[in-house]
């Protein structure tokens, strides 16, 4: 595992007092150096794969003076090329070139005219039996950055199971196993979501897509369930989604929407997951916003910094939503009394 120590760090007020009497002079900056920053996530169910390539910097003067200059963070169009290479048993099987485009960036301290992105239409072209390497080359053809091969997340449906999500279950004839918060014992007032593990997946987070109607239009909000990490021996995993947490999440999503809404009594349960590379990156940066100390950040870009990993976001199961329990314990009754203009 490669790790990158952040370049920028902060000193506490006490540290400044301690340094005041020090006779040693030093410069926290260095001669300007081009360091590529690359982000790419592969999902074989996506229509399009995107790659973001920019650069970080270290130089004399204020970092803000650099960040506001477009040429400090942007590679000019035509100066680099991006390609995804597919291998099987060491043999090159496919090469996917990416196309340059731009997107608007939110205003702030960093240059915000247009953000360059590179895209490739990859629907039905990413093969879960291949491994993939990302290459970024300079205009002269020389290699700027590359990566180790990564694998996609695999799920092969069987004849009797078309989704890895095993709970909640639903049988059209028996009307059994709605998305319900009717757990018993320690799982009382919870919904258990269970699934078979997927090959190459490391971190999982179920998501509930809650549908409702506004006028004649059907819309939805996405509610994130607790996440969990698999072990080598894991063949099946589960999480508990408490009813009160669900209600709080729903209220937080809808409280600023003044429109009158109707509960449609149906949900989709999605299974979001990512590979070990993405899990390691997320774990290493998860506390950076809450700490001013130096911290090591996972990095798997050779010749630069960033992350190249795989994920899946499109595996789901549609279920009827619980509505059969009488008030005041019924979930429909509780939703109606959240104060969010819903009936």
């Amino acid at each position: 595992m490669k790790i990158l120590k952040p370049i920028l760090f902060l000193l506490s007020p006490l540290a400044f007092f301690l340094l005041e009497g020090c006779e040693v002079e030093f410069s926290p900056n260095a001669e300007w150096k081009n360091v590529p920053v690359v982000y790419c996530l592969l999902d074989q169910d996506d229509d399009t794969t995107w790659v973001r390539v920019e650069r970080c910097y270290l130089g004399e003067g204020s970092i803000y003076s650099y960040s506001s200059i477009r040429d400090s963070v942007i590679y000019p169009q035509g100066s680099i090329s991006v390609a995804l290479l597919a291998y099987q048993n060491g043999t090159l099987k496919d090469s996917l070139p990416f196309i340059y485009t731009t997107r608007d960036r939110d205003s702030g301290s960093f240059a915000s005219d247009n953000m360059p992105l590179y895209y490739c239409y990859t629907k039905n072209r990413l093969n879960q039996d291949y491994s993939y390497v990302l290459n970024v080359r300079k205009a002269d053809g020389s290699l700027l950055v590359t990566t180790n091969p990564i694998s996609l997340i695999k799920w092969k449906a069987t004849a009797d199971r078309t989704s890895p999500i095993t709970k909640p279950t639903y049988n059209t004839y028996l009307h059994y196993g709605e998305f319900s918060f009717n757990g018993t014992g320690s799982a009382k007032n919870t919904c258990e979501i269970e699934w078979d593990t997927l090959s190459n997946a490391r971190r999982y987070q179920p998501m509930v897509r809650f549908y409702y109607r506004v006028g004649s239009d059907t819309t939805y909000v996405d509610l994130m369930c607790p996440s969990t990490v698999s072990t080598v021996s894991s063949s099946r995993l589960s999480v508990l989604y408490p009813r009160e947490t669900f209600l709080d999440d729903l209220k937080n999503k809808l409280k600023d929407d003044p429109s009158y809404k109707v509960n449609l009594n149906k949900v989709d349960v999605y299974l979001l997951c990512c590979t070990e590379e993405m899990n390691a990156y997320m774990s290493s940066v998860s506390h950076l916003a809450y700490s001013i100390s130096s911290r090591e950040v996972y990095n798997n870009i050779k010749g630069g910094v960033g992350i190249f990993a795989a994920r899946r976001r499109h595996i789901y199961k549609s279920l009827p939503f619980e509505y059969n329990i009488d008030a005041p314990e019924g979930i429909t009754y509780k939703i109606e009394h959240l104060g969010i203009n819903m009936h």
Side-chain angles (χ1 to χ4, degrees), residues 34 55 75-82 118 135-145:
N34 176 5
R55 53 188 172 192
Y75 287 100
Q77 183 177 0
S79 63
I80 59 173
S81 61
V82 180
Y118 298 81
N135 280 350
V136 179
R137 293 186 178 275
K138 301 176 185 177
D140 62 7
S142 61
L143 196 62
L144 181 64
V145 299

Side-chain angles (χ1 to χ4, degrees), residues 28-98:
N29 294 321
E31 184 178 345
W32 188 89
K33 183 180 181 182
N34 176 5
V35 180
V37 183
V38 180
Y39 295 97
C40 178
L41 295 176
L42 301 182
D43 186 333
Q44 60 263 50
D45 301 319
D46 282 344
D47 291 328
T48 307
T49 297
W50 296 88
V51 179
R52 179 173 173 176
V53 185
E54 295 183 8
R55 53 188 172 192
C56 58
Y57 49 84
L58 187 64
E60 296 290 343
S62 168
I63 62 171
Y64 295 105
S65 64
Y66 280 88
S67 63
S68 61
I69 301 173
R70 181 178 173 82
D71 288 346
S72 294
V73 295
I74 302 300
Y75 287 100
Q77 183 177 0
S79 63
I80 59 173
S81 61
V82 180
L84 186 66
L85 307 180
Y87 291 89
Q88 187 176 41
N89 299 323
T91 301
L92 181 64
K93 306 295 289 188
D94 199 2
S95 178
L96 294 81
F98 281 66

Side-chain angles (χ1 to χ4, degrees), residues 148-272:
N148 286 328
I150 67 166
S151 299
L152 301 178
I153 295 174
K154 300 181 181 180
W155 169 254
K156 294 183 179 180
T158 59
D160 61 345
R161 184 173 293 169
T162 57
S163 170
I165 303 170
T166 58
K167 285 183 183 179
T169 57
Y170 178 66
N171 184 299
T172 305
Y173 302 100
L174 298 178
H175 296 283
Y176 170 78
E178 304 160 331
F179 183 81
S180 169
F181 295 92
N182 295 324
T184 59
S186 61
K188 186 178 181 181
N189 296 326
T190 66
C191 180
E192 182 181 17
I193 302 174
E194 184 178 75
W195 62 92
D196 296 330
T197 55
L198 283 68
S199 179
N200 300 323
R202 177 72 162 129
R203 179 180 291 273
Y204 298 83
Q205 183 166 36
M207 180 187 79
V208 176
R209 179 160 289 177
F210 177 83
Y211 290 90
Y212 61 96
R213 189 174 66 246
V214 177
S216 59
D217 298 326
T218 297
T219 186
Y220 61 83
V221 291
D222 291 333
L223 310 175
M224 306 307 295
C225 303
S227 65
T228 188
V229 176
S230 66
T231 63
V232 175
S233 60
S234 301
S235 60
R236 187 169 293 183
L237 295 170
S238 67
V239 297
L240 296 179
Y241 195 24
R243 181 177 65 184
E244 294 307 314
T245 303
F246 167 83
L247 292 172
D248 287 343
D249 292 345
L250 185 61
K251 184 173 182 177
N252 289 334
K253 285 281 187 175
L254 297 178
K255 64 181 180 181
D256 296 327
D257 181 359
S259 58
Y260 188 79
K261 296 168 280 295
V262 178
N263 178 17
L264 292 182
N265 294 318
K266 70 173 184 176
V267 301
D268 289 337
V269 177
Y270 280 78
L271 183 62
L272 314 180

